[in-house]
Amino acid sequence: MPAPIIAAIVGLCFWLGYRYYAGYLTKHVYALDPKFVTPAHQFTDGVDYVPTNKHVLFGHHFTSVAGAAPIVGPAIAVFWGWGPALAWIVLGTIFAAGVHDMGSLVVSVRHKARNIGTIAQDIINKRARTLFLLIIFFLLTLVNAVFAVVIGNLFVANPGAVIPIFLQIPIAIAIGQYIYRTKSPALIPSLIGLIILYFLIWVGQMVPLDITPWAEAIGMEPRNLWVIIMFTYTFIASRIPVWVLLQPRDYINSHQLFVALAIIVTGIIVGWEMIVAPAFNDVPEGSPSIFPFLFITIACGAISGFHSLVSSGTTAKQLNKDTDARHVGYGGALGEGSLATGAVLAATAGVAASRTEWNELYADFATASGGGVGNFVNGIAAFANNLGIPLELGAVFAAVVVIAFAATTMDTGVRLQRYVVQEIAELAGWKTLARNLTLASFVAVIIPLGMALLPGGGEDGYTFGVLWQLFGTTNQLTAGLALAVIAVWVTRSGRRIWSVVVPLVFLLVMTTWALIVNLMNFIEQGQWVLAPLDFIIFALAMWLIVEAALALMKARREGPAPVSGGDRQDVGSGSARGPVSRGNEPDQRTDRTDE
């Protein structure tokens, strides 16, 4: 099957989804109003609340949500065949992710741009806030653990990526200082930074840095040493203000993202690449079943609860018009679906020249899990080679793209984990942990570090695959909580809710199914670390199902809100400088404390 034809079909489906289904959501579900005064205008302060052009905001939102996850998940999930993987990406993006991302943004905008956790407390009940914090705690723990393993494996396999990745840090800091002190636009400095980074990719390919001798000298696996190095780095990075490193590196990585997508599209067209993998793979006996594990393995790229944190975090504070939510929220979901499609094509068309070669790369689930990211890297290198770029240089470029995204996700993840640890500690009355940034940062680092260093955690590939599935289930639980909040809000507004309820129910069924299967396997295998973790996440899923059902039944029983303009009144109430616009943003408070 020619890869360009598949890419064109997926692109057409995404266009139709944006043209028609997003239009349906705009009119009949979320009732976007061009006259609605958004928080960006209501609370304008030039710092956080800034009315932003929808195209500029789309770029910021897209790069914020598109990390390494839409690459890793699809590169593993083609184990079941590229047909089911692409079907879930396309259907999930159009009918689940678009609904979730756009809805999270709209509901946040209608509630003073507050985060989804606070809104859950208001719309469902106070217990929902606790549920949200616990789900996010486990989500971020698994995010940080799996991405540390991804980075460690890529550094071991691609030592040429070490120099560009680590020298990107001082480059980003220099750009951040320049922008902060001169108040200059970020475009030109970040493009210069991208050019320097690409020069460093060439340098790294010429001068690879392999830490294997150092790791062996201390009796440690090279990958585990990289994991420790990455968590040491993120411990420091999470303590400094976001404008120093995180934001300027995002500027550079945003350009990298679009360059990577351009190389994928042009590479498969110029080379007219053929998909050699089977559309439906006859997997070996004993492999995880396609139901439900496909829908857990591909989380980001089909639907991701992490997006609700971004939509209700920074994006809602910058939305210029209510109607821009379609372009930014739904369009951002389509962008991530496009990246996931590129990952599928790289792992099925670019990585092998024949079905026999591909079968060796995806011989079983352990091999697929352990080599999925490497297959993506090699596939992108092949696409780049069609454009005249040497294979080795293309592989380093692809590795840098994945590592840069994963490292940025870890930066954000550890920072968010610190906020969650402090908020949970505050609710539990642990004042020392709640107020001590160093202690909270240590807790935020040490737990995922221990998870990443579990025995066998990547040596045979299978434990990483299990951790990825647990990450996917927790991510889907987060999406379920956001969809529950959206469903209750839509019900109270007296509008059509089935477009929200259907993906909500589907996610909860697949999540609980996967958790039960994994729990039975863990107990049978004597996995007494993963089994309790799985059980806790399963208990949270049951809690979410009960809370969502009770909230929806109550909303339907009470009927639509008597005042149709309640949303407008909600946003308009309160002082623009009062606690409503600041008091519910712990991340902003903490960053100011750091500064």
Side-chain angles (χ1 to χ4, degrees):
M1 176 67 70
I5 293 179
I6 295 298
I9 292 174
V10 172
L12 176 62
C13 291
F14 284 166
W15 180 83
L16 291 173
Y18 184 83
R19 174 68 177 83
Y20 295 103
Y21 196 62
Y24 168 80
L25 297 174
T26 297
K27 183 177 181 180
H28 298 292
V29 180
Y30 300 131
L32 302 186
D33 181 3
K35 298 180 181 180
F36 181 82
V37 181
T38 64
H41 289 281
Q42 186 71 23
F43 305 137
T44 300
D45 60 4
V47 178
D48 300 310
Y49 294 82
V50 181
T52 305
N53 177 277
K54 66 180 182 180
H55 300 291
V56 176
L57 185 57
F58 167 82
H60 164 76
H61 178 80
F62 180 30
T63 53
S64 297
V65 300
I71 293 172
V72 179
I76 296 174
V78 293
F79 169 73
W80 290 289
W82 61 264
L86 275 182
W88 171 228
I89 289 170
V90 172
L91 296 175
T93 296
I94 294 173
F95 297 107
V99 175
H100 169 273
D101 294 14
M102 184 179 175
S104 301
L105 179 56
V106 172
V107 172
S108 178
V109 166
R110 298 300 178 91
H111 290 80
K112 307 183 180 75
R114 290 183 291 174
N115 65 71
I116 195 70
T118 304
I119 297 172
Q121 175 176 321
D122 295 344
I123 291 183
I124 300 180
N125 53 44
K126 292 183 179 180
R127 295 189 302 273
R129 180 193 178 195
T130 303
L131 173 61
F132 178 86
L133 286 174
L134 293 174
I135 291 176
I136 294 301
F137 175 83
F138 286 105
L139 170 62
L140 294 174
T141 297
L142 292 165
V143 163
N144 295 327
V146 297
F147 284 143
V149 174
V150 167
I151 293 172
N153 286 334
L154 283 173
F155 273 143
V156 171
N158 303 274
V162 175
I163 286 179
I165 286 296
F166 279 92
L167 289 186
Q168 186 189 32
I169 295 173
I171 293 172
I173 291 175
I175 291 174
Q177 290 290 328
Y178 174 80
I179 295 173
Y180 179 76
R181 297 185 185 282
T182 63
K183 309 299 181 184
S184 302
L187 179 61
I188 300 302
S190 60
L191 286 176
I192 294 174
L194 183 67
I195 293 172
I196 297 173
L197 176 64
Y198 285 165
F199 170 74
L200 291 175
I201 289 176
W202 176 79
V203 173
Q205 192 248 337
M206 299 298 294
V207 189
L209 295 181
D210 187 358
I211 67 167
T212 300
W214 300 343
E216 291 177 348
I218 59 176
M220 182 178 293
E221 292 291 333
R223 191 220 62 187
N224 289 344
L225 181 56
W226 276 122
V227 167
I228 294 173
I229 291 173
M230 287 307 302
F231 273 111
T232 302
Y233 154 75
T234 53
F235 175 81
I236 299 171
S238 68
R239 295 295 313 278
I240 61 180
V242 291
W243 62 266
V244 173
L245 174 60
L246 187 59
Q247 287 180 348
R249 193 165 67 178
D250 275 346
Y251 299 150
I252 299 174
N253 288 341
S254 65
H255 303 310
Q256 275 211 91
L257 179 61
F258 291 109
V259 170
L261 287 173
I263 287 177
I264 291 173
V265 173
T266 56
I268 63 175
I269 293 175
V270 171
W272 198 252
E273 296 285 352
M274 302 295 292
I275 297 178
V276 299
F280 297 90
N281 191 27
D282 186 13
V283 301
E285 185 178 352
S287 301
S289 172
I290 188 172
F291 287 96
F293 289 106
L294 170 68
F295 308 95
I296 302 306
T297 304
I298 301 180
C300 302
I303 180 171
S304 168
F306 188 76
H307 293 195
S308 66
L309 308 183
V310 178
S311 293
S312 64
T314 58
T315 305
K317 297 176 178 62
Q318 302 174 63
L319 197 72
N320 182 42
K321 296 180 180 179
D322 197 44
T323 48
D324 289 350
R326 175 181 179 180
H327 181 83
V328 177
Y330 200 95
L334 294 179
E336 182 153 279
S338 301
L339 182 58
T341 301
V344 169
L345 296 179
T348 56
V351 72
S354 67
R355 171 72 178 271
T356 301
E357 290 183 16
W358 189 89
N359 286 341
E360 293 177 356
L361 296 173
Y362 286 87
D364 50 43
F365 189 71
T367 306
S369 299
V373 180
N375 294 336
F376 170 83
V377 168
N378 293 330
I380 297 301
F383 294 159
N385 188 246
N386 293 335
L387 306 177
I389 300 173
L391 278 173
E392 290 186 2
L393 187 60
V396 174
F397 162 77
V400 166
V401 170
V402 180
I403 293 171
F405 289 166
T408 301
T409 302
M410 281 190 67
D411 284 354
T412 303
V414 171
R415 187 181 292 267
L416 290 174
Q417 185 79 317
R418 171 162 57 86
Y419 304 153
V420 171
V421 167
Q422 289 179 284
E423 193 165 353
I424 291 176
E426 184 177 351
L427 290 175
W430 303 332
K431 295 183 180 179
T432 301
L433 180 58
R435 298 174 183 176
N436 190 312
L437 299 184
T438 300
L439 181 59
S441 298
F442 178 78
V443 172
V445 164
I446 199 65
I447 297 176
L449 173 61
M451 187 68 64
L453 296 179
L454 279 174
E459 190 64 24
D460 59 2
Y462 184 71
T463 300
F464 171 75
V466 171
L467 289 178
W468 186 264
Q469 290 173 5
L470 289 177
F471 153 71
T473 56
T474 314
N475 201 7
Q476 307 302 50
L477 281 179
T478 307
L481 177 58
L483 286 171
V485 172
I486 296 167
V488 174
W489 179 78
V490 171
T491 301
R492 289 179 177 176
S493 302
R495 295 190 288 270
R496 305 173 187 178
I497 67 167
W498 290 110
S499 57
V500 184
V501 172
V502 170
L504 167 61
V505 172
F506 181 81
L507 282 181
L508 293 180
V509 169
M510 291 299 157
T511 298
T512 52
W513 187 356
L515 287 168
I516 292 172
V517 173
N518 270 335
L519 181 59
M520 295 172 62
N521 290 335
F522 292 156
I523 294 174
E524 182 180 348
Q525 298 164 8
Q527 296 272 10
W528 301 118
V529 174
L530 297 178
L533 176 60
D534 186 283
F535 179 78
I536 292 173
I537 298 174
F538 173 75
L540 293 176
M542 294 298 98
W543 185 2
L544 173 56
I545 291 173
V546 172
E547 294 291 355
L550 292 176
L552 281 172
M553 287 190 294
K554 180 180 179 182
R556 291 182 66 84
R557 185 171 60 251
E558 294 176 348
V563 181
S564 60
D567 292 333
R568 185 186 306 274
Q569 183 181 7
D570 183 45
V571 173
S573 63
S575 169
R577 298 294 181 266
V580 167
S581 62
R582 287 287 187 271
N584 292 305
E585 301 300 327
D587 53 331
Q588 295 171 15
R589 292 200 307 268
T590 307
D591 283 341
R592 289 195 178 96
T593 302
D594 289 347
E595 292 175 23

